[in-house]
Amino acid sequence: MKPFMLTQKSVVAIFMLFWAGQFVQAGATFTGNSPVRLSEAYELANVILALTHYGKADPWEVSQQSAYYREVRTHFDKYADHPLLAKVNYSREKWESYLSFRTDAYAFEFDTDNRLVRRINFQANKGFNPFEENLDLINNFVRTTGFRQFYRDHLAYYRGLAVAYLESQRYPEMLHFLEKEFGKRRELTTYAIVISPLVGRMNCHRTVAAVGTDFITLPGFLLDGKAVQAVSEEEIASGTHMLLTELDHAFVNPLTDQYRGLLTPNFTISRWDTGSGYETDSGATFNEYMTWAVYNLYVQTYFPSVAAKVSADWALQNATRGFFASSLFNRELALVYNARRRGQTIRDIYPVFIQRLGSLQASLSKPSITSCNLDGQTVTDTVQTFVIHFSEPMEECQSLDIVQTVDQQGRVKQERIKLTPESNSLAWTDHGKTVQFTLVLLKGGQNYIVFNHPWRTLVTLRSLKGVDLKPYSHIKTSVADK
């Protein structure tokens, strides 16, 4: 199915609708209006966090790829000594404070005296209130830095992002899919999407004054300034992941709660979660798995030509978060869904699927590399045969993807290589527990052979049980310069 494209006329119409609804309070309906919301206070919070030491140093927390980010730094870096920035210099460990500061700002607006005041009774994380607690310093920062003028100067950019984002996400299809599969959420008046070009990670879904609200990361192609019409089907499909996997929390979480009694004996956290941060609650871990698996069904329906690739990419990414069995979970949901009776939906197959997970989890295991003849070794010849042993039988793929990363005295070279029987003598033995291949290494440096590299791997290495080898698993071999 082709990506949804807007005509010039429809773009203008959406612009007008967006202008009409962009500053509506969170409880308003958006019938006929864009669900995308701009919030000056929310953008302020993201600007502040981007200027902290953590915001500058962490490569993922703040999106730093856009020209807009560089303009933020150019305008505000001269105020780096403002006391607010040291006060809110959070960290990965203090993620609740970071997320609360950023997200709670959405509850505030500027009054006629240019001071921030709370307009909505909303807190993103119970027990955390950092934005309001620092309100005096925040108001001082606004006055000192000229933030409000900076925001007005960039309104056209924000509005353009909102239009392009809605165009790229195929939002009506997304909402239709979820409501068809789960049923409508009667207790929510509507849905809203809050955006900032500075958000790099930690998407979140919250209910704000009876509105299902997604605080979302923008796709990279929008931040790079790429026109939606020039974006590939794969980029569009992959770019919908951030929104779909937050929006579907509004549907998945309540349904999971209905089946808590069934989930408890069939989904043991320690069998499925290796330190995601959600592991204190089996429902939370299950919901994270489930929201990403629902995304797979969505792309299978609307982006069939690229579904396998983008689903594999995101499964590996999810595995890096501690959800190591993502590919298996996704596969099992797809099997039950594809075998459903006519007229059945995800909601209908929920109990059957949960019980299916229960039958699998007793034998669930994480495949690993147990040994390799060249791991940690220094060799002199550049042509080497690797013999790798795994902890359990793997799928004997006819070709194998690796990413060869070579560090030669600080100069790093990275290349994806497709290993085949013809080119690399790729061969499996011991019922899939051993693989060997020949590879040309580079002299005078450390050669890392990386398996299951998210976004680079085309053929995923996984066990016969359907669990992927841990992302970024690698072998390190050095080649002497002489």
Side-chain angles (χ1 to χ4, degrees):
M1 192 169 181
K2 295 291 185 183
F4 172 65
M5 296 298 182
L6 295 178
T7 64
Q8 183 177 4
K9 183 178 179 181
S10 61
V11 168
V12 172
I14 286 180
F15 251 121
M16 296 303 294
L17 292 170
F18 176 73
W19 273 52
Q22 64 176 318
F23 294 114
V24 173
Q25 284 293 332
T29 62
F30 68 90
T31 303
N33 292 335
S34 168
V36 182
R37 300 286 184 262
L38 297 180
S39 162
E40 185 174 3
Y42 182 70
E43 189 59 27
L44 168 63
N46 279 288
V47 166
I48 290 167
L49 293 172
L51 298 171
T52 65
H53 176 74
Y54 171 60
K56 294 175 183 177
D58 188 277
W60 306 110
E61 198 71 78
V62 175
S63 179
Q64 301 180 3
Q65 70 189 83
S66 66
Y68 172 75
Y69 171 78
R70 294 188 288 275
E71 291 173 20
V72 168
R73 293 292 303 274
T74 298
H75 180 92
F76 292 99
D77 270 355
K78 64 178 73 72
Y79 306 105
D81 292 334
H82 193 283
L84 173 65
L85 301 183
K87 190 83 179 295
V88 299
N89 183 34
Y90 303 119
S91 63
R92 283 289 176 111
E93 293 72 27
K94 295 182 178 180
W95 68 267
E96 289 113 329
S97 295
Y98 187 102
L99 183 62
S100 293
F101 184 89
R102 184 184 85 189
T103 312
D104 288 1
Y106 183 63
F108 291 79
E109 287 184 356
F110 286 97
D111 65 12
T112 55
D113 294 323
N114 289 318
R115 292 186 63 83
L116 285 161
V117 293
R118 179 179 285 278
R119 297 297 190 195
I120 305 169
N121 183 21
F122 164 67
Q123 286 181 260
N125 296 307
K126 187 177 181 180
F128 294 85
N129 192 27
F131 192 84
E132 194 160 33
E133 289 169 357
N134 288 288
L135 206 53
D136 287 341
L137 276 176
I138 294 169
N139 279 313
N140 181 270
F141 178 88
V142 170
R143 292 192 302 272
T144 302
T145 64
F147 168 79
R148 300 208 70 189
Q149 185 60 52
F150 177 87
Y151 185 81
R152 286 191 289 269
D153 290 343
H154 288 82
L155 263 176
Y157 171 68
Y158 304 139
R159 289 167 175 161
L161 275 181
V163 171
Y165 180 71
L166 190 63
E167 181 182 354
S168 73
Q169 296 302 288
R170 295 165 60 161
Y171 184 76
E173 288 176 355
M174 191 179 289
L175 192 56
H176 171 75
F177 173 81
L178 291 173
E179 291 183 340
K180 171 179 170 289
E181 295 292 343
F182 290 91
K184 291 188 177 182
R185 292 284 307 279
R186 303 295 181 185
E187 72 278 22
L188 298 179
T189 59
T190 187
Y191 299 93
I193 306 164
V194 184
I195 65 169
S196 166
L198 293 174
V199 174
R201 72 177 198 99
M202 282 207 294
N203 302 313
C204 71
H205 176 88
R206 298 291 188 271
T207 298
V208 184
V211 176
T213 307
D214 295 296
F215 299 85
I216 213 71
T217 301
L218 297 176
F221 57 78
L222 291 182
L223 298 176
D224 291 337
K226 197 172 182 179
V228 176
Q229 291 81 357
V231 178
S232 70
E233 180 93 341
E234 182 180 324
E235 287 178 288
I236 292 288
S238 187
T240 64
H241 181 274
M242 283 81 79
L243 179 58
L244 192 284
T245 56
E246 290 304 328
L247 181 61
D248 66 357
H249 270 293
F251 298 85
V252 167
N253 292 17
L255 187 55
T256 299
D257 287 342
Q258 292 182 28
Y259 288 100
R260 282 280 183 165
L262 187 62
L263 188 67
T264 299
N266 286 287
F267 193 84
T268 304
I269 305 177
S270 60
R271 302 294 303 173
W272 295 91
D273 196 321
T274 54
S276 70
Y278 292 80
E279 66 272 16
T280 57
D281 178 4
S282 61
T285 291
F286 176 85
N287 286 340
E288 283 298 295
Y289 269 112
M290 192 70 184
T291 54
W292 290 46
V294 169
Y295 164 79
N296 282 9
L297 298 184
Y298 171 74
V299 295
Q300 172 184 302
T301 302
Y302 289 99
F303 301 91
S305 64
V306 297
K309 173 64 167 60
V310 298
S311 294
D313 285 339
W314 283 109
L316 287 176
Q317 179 65 23
N318 210 23
T320 68
R321 303 170 65 216
F323 304 105
F324 71 91
S326 288
S327 287
L328 172 66
F329 193 103
N330 297 347
R331 183 191 73 183
E332 295 302 312
L333 179 61
L335 286 171
V336 176
Y337 182 78
N338 292 336
R340 72 195 186 283
R341 296 193 304 274
R342 182 183 294 274
Q344 283 192 315
T345 64
I346 296 174
R347 186 181 191 90
D348 298 321
I349 65 174
Y350 230 68
V352 174
F353 175 61
I354 291 173
Q355 290 173 318
R356 187 183 184 99
L357 295 179
S359 68
L360 290 172
Q361 71 176 8
S363 61
L364 197 61
S365 58
K366 293 174 285 187
S368 62
I369 296 173
T370 56
S371 66
C372 174
N373 60 320
L374 295 175
D375 190 29
Q377 302 297 309
T378 299
V379 298
T380 54
D381 295 332
T382 55
V383 180
Q384 295 290 330
T385 298
F386 290 77
V387 181
I388 301 174
H389 302 282
F390 299 99
S391 59
E392 59 186 280
M394 309 295 287
E395 293 181 358
E396 297 184 21
C397 40
Q398 296 305 303
S399 65
L400 183 59
D401 268 3
I402 64 166
V403 174
Q404 183 177 5
T405 302
V406 184
D407 187 344
Q408 294 174 303
Q409 298 179 340
R411 296 193 307 274
V412 178
K413 177 183 177 182
Q414 193 174 79
E415 180 183 8
R416 187 186 70 80
I417 299 174
K418 180 180 179 180
L419 305 177
T420 66
E422 297 76 19
S423 302
N424 308 91
S425 301
L426 176 69
W428 291 89
T429 56
D430 193 20
H431 305 290
K433 290 188 69 174
T434 302
V435 68
Q436 68 178 53
F437 53 84
T438 300
L439 188 66
V440 178
L441 306 179
L442 294 186
K443 278 189 175 183
Q446 298 173 342
N447 289 255
Y448 295 87
I449 312 305
V450 184
F451 301 95
N452 287 2
H453 191 302
W455 316 112
R456 297 294 301 276
T457 293
L458 298 181
V459 178
T460 304
L461 191 55
R462 65 172 56 104
S463 71
L464 284 180
K465 295 177 182 178
V467 179
D468 294 339
L469 182 71
K470 184 178 180 180
Y472 303 109
S473 294
H474 63 271
I475 304 297
K476 174 185 173 182
T477 305
S478 300
V479 182
D481 211 2
K482 295 183 180 180

